[in-house]
């Protein structure tokens, strides 16, 4: 389901009209999660496309009671004007996640030397568009500079490194509460992917030095740096019932009992066509029952290439299932696709032979998956 057990997920660095329009006729470019787009093998011209005509997915999501429908993006794609003309339209996307610009290697490449150029490019876009920022991420085992991983820090030294990083980074992007216009920072993915699939804590420089206390250290530092941001822990394979989801729920309970700030859980939701879990609603409700909110933070649904009409129809159903599950649980605040077009999807470079994971194809044309999202947001059946 999504990532198979034992399968490592590593994101590659990549660095307003009122009516829905086909992306091919727009002037703009959508960012990617990889430095260079890897084209999806050409699909047959006879393949089905999306047919829904709506004012925008974000408009529909808000009408359905959600805070946003959003997308990840990355700096290289911001030079593609066809892509950005769609991304910039808040009718389509009311929230943006920087795919790589806020990660540790991009923001603090040397000790206490911070660079915000790429992050500012994305957040300036968010501000100008009146969108919500989901900031991603503060502490993760990937994309760390060697000075973090190779210095054999003591527990107190690494604690100071974490606190300083978060104070400067989250402080720089400190958001504003309850604003409908202008810049709003809704959430930080404070800790990203802390668990193995069996529910044990992942071995990395943070856990190996500090144990699980690194999580509370990070959350406390984030609350101090930006008191108005919702603080999330983000992971994959926690969307459905199982050992990993149970471990995350137990972590939430522990943090709450220790009075550590934790507002939400990010359900990454990188799925495979035809393998979307059947226990989404049950599991989502279990998190909601703990008193935390959650969001679908990195949604894509990949397939083995080439695309076929049958695979696209199944993908349509799968997107419908995931979005519908969010709508059935009020604690689900919003949905973010991990880039909205296959042109800039991270999947082909990470899973060879797979792709076509997003609701739009390489040419910015809506796919049947778009119709599945629309139907779910409008409360229709397929």
């Amino acid at each position: 389901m999504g990532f198979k057990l034992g399968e490592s997920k590593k994101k590659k660095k990549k660095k307003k009209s009122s009516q829905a329009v086909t992306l091919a006729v727009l002037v703009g470019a959508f960012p990617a999660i990889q430095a260079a787009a890897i084209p999806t093998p050409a699909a047959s011209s006879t393949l089905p496309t999306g047919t829904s005509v709506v004012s925008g997915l974000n408009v529909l999501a808000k009408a359905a009671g959600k805070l946003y429908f959003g997308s990840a993006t990355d700096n290289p794609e911001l030079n593609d004007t066809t892509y950005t003309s769609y991304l910039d339209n808040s009718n389509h996307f009311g929230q943006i996640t920087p795919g790589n610009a806020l990660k540790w290697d991009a923001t603090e490449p040397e000790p206490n030397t911070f660079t915000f150029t790429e992050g500012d490019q994305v957040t300036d876009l968010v501000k100008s568009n009146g969108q919500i920022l989901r900031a991603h991420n503060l502490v993760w085992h990937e994309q760390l500079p060697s000075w973090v991983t190779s210095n054999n820090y003591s527990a107190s030294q690494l604690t100071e490194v974490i606190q300083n990083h978060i104070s400067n980074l989250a402080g720089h992007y400190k958001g504003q509460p309850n604003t409908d216009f202008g810049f709003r920072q809704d959430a930080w993915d404070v800790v990203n992917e802390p668990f193995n699939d069996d529910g044990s804590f992942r071995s990395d420089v943070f856990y190996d030095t500090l144990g699980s206390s690194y999580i509370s250290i990070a959350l406390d530092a984030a609350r101090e740096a930006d008191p108005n941001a919702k603080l999330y822990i983000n992971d994959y394979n926690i969307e459905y019932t199982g050992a990993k989801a149970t471990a995350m729920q137990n972590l939430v309970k522990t943090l709450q009992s220790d009075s550590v700030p934790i507002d939400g859980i990010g359900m990454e939701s990188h799925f495979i066509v035809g393998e979307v879990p059947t226990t989404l609603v049950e599991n989502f409700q279990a998190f909601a029952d703990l008193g935390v909110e959650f969001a679908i933070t990195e949604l894509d649904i990949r397939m083995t290439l080439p695309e076929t009409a049958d695979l696209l129809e199944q993908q349509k159903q799968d997107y419908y299932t995931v979005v519908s599950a969010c709508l059935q649980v009020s604690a689900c605040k919003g949905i973010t696709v991990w880039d909205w077009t296959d042109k800039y999807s991270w999947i082909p470079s990470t899973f060879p032979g797979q792709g076509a994971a997003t609701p739009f194809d390489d040419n910015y044309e809506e796919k049947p998956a778009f119709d599945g999202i629309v139907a779910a947001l409008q409360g229709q059946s397929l």
Side-chain angles (χ1 to χ4, degrees):
M1 297 177 179
F3 288 92
K4 299 177 182 177
L5 293 181
E7 191 169 38
S8 173
K9 168 181 166 290
K10 181 177 181 181
K11 303 184 188 82
K12 298 297 182 181
K13 288 191 72 176
K14 44 172 207 174
K15 271 228 142 172
K16 294 173 182 169
S17 99
S18 62
Q19 292 185 336
V21 279
T22 300
L23 281 187
V25 303
L26 293 172
V27 181
F30 185 74
I33 307 302
Q34 58 195 47
I38 297 180
T40 298
S44 167
S45 61
T46 61
L47 289 176
T49 62
T51 59
S52 298
V53 178
V54 294
S55 56
L57 296 179
N58 186 53
V59 172
L60 296 181
K62 293 176 74 173
K66 298 306 172 184
L67 187 60
Y68 58 80
F69 191 98
S71 178
T73 193
D74 211 354
N75 299 78
E77 292 73 52
L78 298 180
N79 295 317
D80 178 344
T81 55
T82 303
Y83 173 92
T84 54
S85 66
Y86 203 81
L87 182 71
D88 289 351
N89 189 331
S90 61
N91 284 345
H92 303 310
F93 301 114
Q95 171 272 324
I96 300 295
T97 301
N100 289 287
L102 300 183
K103 290 175 180 172
W104 203 310
D105 60 348
T107 56
E108 192 183 6
E110 299 294 337
N112 208 36
T113 300
F114 289 87
T115 175
F116 303 117
T117 302
E118 291 188 349
D120 288 352
Q121 183 184 14
V122 178
T123 57
D124 286 349
L125 184 78
V126 171
K127 292 177 186 179
S128 64
N129 296 337
Q131 295 162 318
I132 292 170
L133 176 71
R134 286 200 82 261
H136 175 83
N137 56 58
L138 291 170
V139 177
W140 187 35
H141 67 280
E142 296 276 9
Q143 292 179 229
L144 292 170
S146 60
W147 70 266
V148 176
T149 59
S150 303
N151 272 350
N152 296 316
Y153 291 112
S154 67
S156 61
Q157 289 171 330
L158 188 57
T159 296
E160 185 176 351
V161 166
I162 293 171
Q163 292 171 333
N164 185 65
H165 179 74
I166 293 176
S167 175
N168 282 275
L169 180 54
H172 181 79
Y173 294 106
K174 183 176 180 179
Q176 302 169 3
N178 303 320
T179 56
D180 293 325
F181 302 97
F183 180 64
R184 172 175 173 176
Q185 164 125 312
D186 184 65
W188 262 108
D189 289 332
V190 178
V191 176
N192 198 47
E193 300 173 357
F195 288 112
N196 297 309
D197 278 329
D198 64 1
S200 61
F201 283 101
R202 185 187 297 275
S203 176
D204 60 17
V205 64
F206 305 111
Y207 182 78
D208 294 347
T209 305
L210 294 164
S212 61
S213 70
Y214 84 88
I215 297 172
S216 58
I217 291 168
L219 289 164
D220 283 334
R223 176 64 84 224
E224 182 175 355
D226 188 352
N228 297 317
K230 295 294 183 70
L231 306 184
Y232 272 60
I233 301 174
N234 190 55
D235 214 328
Y236 61 91
N237 286 353
I238 60 168
E239 305 88 356
Y240 51 93
T241 58
K244 194 170 186 179
T246 298
M248 185 66 82
Q249 291 160 14
N250 288 336
L251 174 60
V252 170
K253 295 175 186 177
T254 298
L255 293 170
Q256 291 172 330
S257 67
D258 292 340
S259 299
V260 176
I262 176 66
D263 299 308
I265 300 299
M267 311 281 184
E268 292 188 12
S269 305
H270 295 289
F271 296 132
I272 299 171
V273 165
E275 299 182 24
V276 169
T278 59
T279 57
L280 292 177
V281 175
E282 173 188 349
N283 192 57
F284 288 174
Q285 189 60 54
F287 279 95
D289 290 344
L290 297 177
V292 292
E293 64 183 50
F294 68 93
I296 295 172
T297 55
E298 304 184 16
L299 177 61
D300 53 30
I301 306 178
R302 67 186 187 267
M303 65 182 69
T304 299
L305 301 174
E307 299 163 84
T308 66
D310 287 345
L311 285 171
L312 291 171
E313 183 61 28
Q314 181 62 55
Q315 187 182 54
K316 173 184 175 180
Q317 177 64 60
D318 291 342
Y319 267 98
Y320 176 88
T321 297
V322 177
V323 174
S324 294
C326 174
L327 266 62
Q328 291 179 58
V329 183
S330 60
C332 183
K333 296 303 178 181
I335 300 161
T336 305
V337 289
W338 205 242
D339 254 344
W340 53 270
T341 167
D342 292 339
K343 182 175 182 180
Y344 295 119
S345 171
W346 70 294
I347 293 295
S349 65
T350 306
F351 301 96
Q354 299 184 54
T358 78
F360 292 81
D361 68 15
D362 290 335
N363 297 313
Y364 307 115
E365 294 279 353
E366 295 97 336
K367 293 156 57 177
F370 181 85
D371 292 344
I373 296 171
V374 168
L377 291 174
Q378 292 182 328
Q380 301 172 347
S381 59
L382 286 181

